Amino acid sequence: MEVFMFIAYAVVGVLLALVLTASATFTLQRNDQIVASMQKVQVPDAWLPRLATLKAAGAIGLVAGLWVTPLGVAAAAGVTLYFIGAVISHLRVKDYELAPAAVLTLVAATALALRILA
């Protein structure tokens, strides 16, 4: 059972890390869609590099978590909290186009559960 959980974490964690890497890259490049979404939820422009750094750190932590369990748990918890914050940010401004943030919250929480169980 433990091997199955580790394989499941590896798949979910690596896929989530790829999404986070792409998102961090687009954020740093100030992609029009990313900037528009951040402006819609009233995120200051000055925060974009910090948020991109958090996403990149989460991606690195998820992958490193394949070898260092506590790091994988910490990264998955951090990414889960990041996307909970994103969902709250959308709800705060009554923007209900929050499916991507909500799905990523669930994926991150799944990665967290799988890494704890592996």
Side-chain angles (χ1 to χ4, degrees), residues 54-112:
L54 289 173
K55 291 181 217 178
I60 291 167
L62 288 168
V63 173
L66 292 168
W67 293 275
V68 183
T69 301
L71 186 55
V73 171
V79 172
T80 301
L81 291 172
Y82 178 94
F83 285 109
I84 288 172
V87 168
I88 291 169
S89 294
H90 282 274
L91 293 173
R92 182 178 51 83
V93 297
K94 295 180 175 49
D95 174 26
Y96 301 110
E97 295 178 26
L98 51 85
V103 168
L104 288 170
T105 301
L106 294 175
V107 173
T110 300
L112 176 58

Side-chain angles (χ1 to χ4, degrees), residues 1-84:
M1 184 68 140
E2 196 172 298
V3 171
F4 171 75
M5 293 297 180
F6 177 78
I7 292 169
Y9 169 76
V11 171
V12 172
V14 169
L15 290 175
L16 181 57
L18 289 171
V19 170
L20 289 169
T21 300
S23 181
T25 301
F26 290 140
T27 302
L28 285 173
Q29 293 173 343
R30 300 201 185 272
N31 173 277
D32 292 340
Q33 267 188 307
I34 299 285
V35 171
S37 178
M38 295 288 192
Q39 287 174 342
K40 189 187 272 189
V41 296
Q42 301 173 351
V43 172
D45 194 52
W47 287 18
L48 294 181
R50 292 181 203 125
L51 295 175
T53 301
L54 289 173
K55 291 181 217 178
I60 291 167
L62 288 168
V63 173
L66 292 168
W67 293 275
V68 183
T69 301
L71 186 55
V73 171
V79 172
T80 301
L81 291 172
Y82 178 94
F83 285 109
I84 288 172

